[in-house]
């Protein structure tokens, strides 16, 4: 990112279809150019000057790519720039049903199919967690523009309601704009942000028509506000940025969508606002024009600083790949090419906090007063200086301190008080590094256990054991070594029974890892033995498979070498002339005969080794199948045992105890847990299953679960909701548009 003029980046994404018009749409190998061909209209007569071919060169063409690839190509750098203080805007433009909402939001039920907004949220908080030198504050807002009316999609969160005057776009200093009355919500992690996103998606207005069952009937702007401050108290500088993620409503042709009534009015409003957006783009692309009509619509006014202002702007043009939609595809690409001519001037939004600046100046004044007060008490060779130490001076002091600690320097030269403070700081840093080094060395050789505070009557210390290990330590700290004989386990009862009893007394189940080890040692010992035996056989067969593979490969290389040598010998013999026998057959020399025999033996060995390889490969596959079956059975029986031992209600455990009506292990876990199962428990099990596939998906599924609960709780009141009052064919569902 640089503080200079830059072009808007424009990508075109083609919706996958089984009827892709290859004869009309051609994307070139450079990944940036796309050609459109259109058949001539025969109704225009013999003299027909109608254009039939267009070529567009954009930033990139995204054809048949995954959601992850789209995000890495389009949005990754924009999000990084937002964290560094640059404003960013990503918007999707195209006809209705072309995949704009799918690109921007994705499928809320699928983690892999999530769109740009959820991925941007994840990246923001991942970067915030990794950047320890700064503290970040993140806020969110969600704005909807429906029929030229501004709506806060998050007004239902936290009881916030817009004022009587409603929402309005206002201009700020340096050309920035904001929406007066729009609620800003602080978020501290990814899950909170996704909760707000899904809440806003529930409140969006969508409808159904001939081209899209879940058509967005409004423009939506999801904005992430980021503020970054240095953790150094003396730093009064801080940076801010905002990231606009815009999902534009799709342009519609009423003849194709068949919209009527309220849907027709909405389509006319959408087309009118998109037309005003294109007019603003044309004015921005023409540097000779002084006036840009931003105020013609609420959409262009709200995006004023994103279009040709202080912003890194990216446009994704979503198009169909079918011949029936070639006119709309051509119109979208024309808009994209005009957008590419727009230039923006991104710059870091740097600010100075007056409160922090005042405190910094007060501390500096206080420091100068202390220097003046101590000047008369210091030796003559030490002076006072109000200037801060430079990087080279600090590096010199660090080097002197290090050499002083190593013994290569007798004394450290100091000329002012600031150097004295820096010397003490370096000593403190060296001490911390030495402590960490000792701690790391101990952790490599011993298992460090933090000991609680000792009681007043505890023994102060114990002598070293006979094996030279360290004994217990009093007070705070760490103890390493072996436990005394009096502390070792001497109870004759089973460890698993003891743990089970203690867990039941404490009303909390033991960790599954610990319980699994006990299960393998006792109840599941036979299954565990069979699993180990099968693994041993599988390991031996795999080793044999590797040997045969190496042998086959080596034989194949020898065959190739022998074949090459034989061919070279034959070519040499042909060039020198052939010897023929009495019957006219060519006569081979001894070297060629030896090569032919060697090649025959190698091929026979290759065939034999290959047969052995196929057989061993089948054995490995079968052994792997047995190991998988045994592992699944072991885990299944463990889950049943763990649930019956620790998770079932008391009344069910009474039935399953020894002497009960049902023997343990015969009750299906899902049916037994259904006695006190609820939606939360089912979600927890689903979450653990998903986490096994992708650990980073927990926030996404937590937010999705809460959204599903809110949707079900609001379902009974859907008839009175504002979001469904505009048309009878509207649905209050998340706008999910799958391109598959």
């Amino acid at each position: 990112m640089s503080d200079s003029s830059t072009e808007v980046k424009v990508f075109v994404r083609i919706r996958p279809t089984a009827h892709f018009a290859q004869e009309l749409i051609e994307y070139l190998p450079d990944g940036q150019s796309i050609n459109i061909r259109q058949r001539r209209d025969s109704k225009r007569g013999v003299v027909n000057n109608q254009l039939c071919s267009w070529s567009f060169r954009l930033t990139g063409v995204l054809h048949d790519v995954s959601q992850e690839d789209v995000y890495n190509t389009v949005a990754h750098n924009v999000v990084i720039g937002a964290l560094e203080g640059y404003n960013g805007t990503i918007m999707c433009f195209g006809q209705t049903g072309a995949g704009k909402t799918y690109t921007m939001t994705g499928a809320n039920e699928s983690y892999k199919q999530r769109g740009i907004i959820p991925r941007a949220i994840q990246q923001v908080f991942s970067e915030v967690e990794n950047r320890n030198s700064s503290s970040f504050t993140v806020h969110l807002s969600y704005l909807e523009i429906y029929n030229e009316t501004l709506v806060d999609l998050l007004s239902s969160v936290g009881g916030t309601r817009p004022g009587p005057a409603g929402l309005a776009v206002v201009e700020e200093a340096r050309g920035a704009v904001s929406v007066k009355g729009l609620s800003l919500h602080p978020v501290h992690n990814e899950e909170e942000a996704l909760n707000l996103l899904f809440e806003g998606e529930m409140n969006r207005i969508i409808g159904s028509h001939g081209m899209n069952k879940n058509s967005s009937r409004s423009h939506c702007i999801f904005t992430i506000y980021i503020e970054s401050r240095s953790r150094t108290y003396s730093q009064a500088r801080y940076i801010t940025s905002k990231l606009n993620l815009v999902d534009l409503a799709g342009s519609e042709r009423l003849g194709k969508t068949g919209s009527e009534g309220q849907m027709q009015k909405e389509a006319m409003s959408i087309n009118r606002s998109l037309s005003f957006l294109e007019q603003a783009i044309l004015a921005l692309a023409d540097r000779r024009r002084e006036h840009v009509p931003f105020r013609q619509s609420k959409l262009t006014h709200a995006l004023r600083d994103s279009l040709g202002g202080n912003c890194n702007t990216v446009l994704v043009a979503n198009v169909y790949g079918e011949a029936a939609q070639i006119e709309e595809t051509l119109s979208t690409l024309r808009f994209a090419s005009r957008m590419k001519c727009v230039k923006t001037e991104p710059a870091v939004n740097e600010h100075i906090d007056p409160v922090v600046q005042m405190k910094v100046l007060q501390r500096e004044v206080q420091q100068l007063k202390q220097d003046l007060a101590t000047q008369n008490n210091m030796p003559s060779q030490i002076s006072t200086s109000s200037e801060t130490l430079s990087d080279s001076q600090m590096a010199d002091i660090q080097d002197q301190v290090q050499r002083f600690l190593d013994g290569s320097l007798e004394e450290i030269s100091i000329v002012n008080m600031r150097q004295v403070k820096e010397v003490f700081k370096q000593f403190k840093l060296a001490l911390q590094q030495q402590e960490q080094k000792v701690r790391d060395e101990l952790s490599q050789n011993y298992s460090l256990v933090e000991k609680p505070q000792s009681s007043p009557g505890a023994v102060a210390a114990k002598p070293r054991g006979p094996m030279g290990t360290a004994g217990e330590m009093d007070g705070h700290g760490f103890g390493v070594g072996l436990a005394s004989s009096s502390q070792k386990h001497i109870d004759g009862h089973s460890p698993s029974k003891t743990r089970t009893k203690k867990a039941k007394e404490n009303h909390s189940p033991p960790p599954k890892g610990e319980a699994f080890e006990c299960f393998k040692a006792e109840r599941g010992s036979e299954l565990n033995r069979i699993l180990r035996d099968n693994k041993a056989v599988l390991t031996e067969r795999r080793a044999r498979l590797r040997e045969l593979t190496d042998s086959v490969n080596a034989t194949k290389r020898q065959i190739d070498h022998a074949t090459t040598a034989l061919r070279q010998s034959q070519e040499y013999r042909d060039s020198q002339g052939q010897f023929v026998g009495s019957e006219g057959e060519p006569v081979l020399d001894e070297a060629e005969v030896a090569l032919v025999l060697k090649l025959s033996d190698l091929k026979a060995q290759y065939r034999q080794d290959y047969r052995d390889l196929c057989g061993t490969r089948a054995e490995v596959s079968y052994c792997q199948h047995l190991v998988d079956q045994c592992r699944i059975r072991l885990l299944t029986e463990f889950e049943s045992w763990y649930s019956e031992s620790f998770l079932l209600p008391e009344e069910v455990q009474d039935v399953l105890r020894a002497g009960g009506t049902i023997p343990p292990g015969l009750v299906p876990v899902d049916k037994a847990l259904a006695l006190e199962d609820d939606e939360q428990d089912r979600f927890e099990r689903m979450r653990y299953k998903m986490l096994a596939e992708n650990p980073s998906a927990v926030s996404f599924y937590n937010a999705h679960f809460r959204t599903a609960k809110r949707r079900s709780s609001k379902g009974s009141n859907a008839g009175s909701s504002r979001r469904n009052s505009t048309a009878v064919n509207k649905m209050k569902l998340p706008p999910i548009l799958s391109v598959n």
Side-chain angles (χ1 to χ4, degrees), residues 669-671 673-690 701-702 705 709 712:
V669 178
D670 53 348
K671 294 183 179 180
L673 290 177
L675 294 171
E676 56 177 20
D677 192 17
D678 57 7
E679 192 173 2
Q680 177 68 30
D681 296 331
R682 289 194 296 273
F683 171 73
E684 289 295 331
R685 291 196 294 274
M686 181 193 73
R687 185 182 69 170
Y688 288 133
K689 180 181 178 181
M690 297 300 179
Y701 284 109
N702 283 343
F705 170 73
K709 290 188 65 175
S712 61

Side-chain angles (χ1 to χ4, degrees), residues 235-259:
Q235 287 287 342
R237 170 185 172 272
Y238 69 98
I239 58 176
T240 61
S241 63
K242 66 176 181 178
L243 179 61
N244 291 324
L245 304 171
V246 186
D247 181 16
L248 298 175
S251 59
E252 299 182 16
R253 293 201 175 190
L254 298 180
K256 292 185 177 181
T257 60
S259 301

Side-chain angles (χ1 to χ4, degrees), residues 446-623:
Y446 303 98
S447 177
L448 300 182
V449 180
E450 189 171 359
K451 297 180 66 63
Q453 184 177 5
S454 59
S455 59
V459 180
K462 290 189 176 182
R464 300 172 65 89
M467 299 300 293
T469 58
E472 295 183 353
M473 297 178 60
D474 58 341
H476 300 283
F478 294 87
V480 296
L482 302 174
S484 61
S485 57
S486 61
Q487 295 174 327
K488 292 183 179 179
H489 178 71
I490 58 175
D491 192 0
H493 298 286
S494 170
S496 62
K497 293 182 179 180
T498 305
R499 293 190 184 97
T500 303
K501 183 177 180 181
K502 290 182 179 179
K504 291 183 177 180
E505 291 176 356
N506 297 332
H507 303 286
S508 62
K512 277 196 172 183
E514 180 181 349
F516 187 60
E517 295 299 327
C518 298
F519 176 78
K520 290 192 298 182
E522 294 184 355
R523 184 168 172 177
S525 58
E526 182 64 20
L527 274 176
N528 190 39
R529 182 190 63 79
I530 297 175
L531 178 61
R532 289 198 305 268
D533 294 343
N534 289 341
K535 284 183 177 180
V537 175
L538 177 61
T539 302
E540 187 270 334
R541 290 288 87 191
R542 281 179 173 172
R544 175 59 179 164
L545 180 63
R546 284 193 295 269
E547 293 177 0
L548 289 174
T549 302
D550 295 339
S551 177
V552 168
N553 291 335
T555 305
K556 182 61 171 61
R557 287 192 294 268
Q558 293 179 10
I559 291 175
D560 294 339
H561 293 160
T563 303
T564 302
L566 182 60
R567 183 174 63 253
Q568 293 175 351
S569 177
Q570 291 175 350
E571 292 176 354
Y572 178 77
R573 177 166 47 82
D574 293 340
S575 64
Q576 297 295 326
Q578 294 185 350
F579 292 97
V580 295
S582 59
E583 298 180 359
E585 297 179 353
V587 178
L588 303 179
D589 58 13
E590 295 182 0
E592 289 188 47
V593 171
L595 286 175
V596 171
L597 295 177
K598 179 181 179 181
L599 188 60
S600 177
D601 295 339
L602 289 174
K603 288 183 177 180
Q605 181 182 353
Y606 179 84
R607 286 191 291 269
Q608 180 61 37
D609 290 345
Y610 186 76
R611 285 193 295 268
D612 295 343
L613 177 67
C614 294
T616 306
R617 186 176 296 161
E619 293 177 1
V620 168
S621 178
Y622 179 69
C623 291

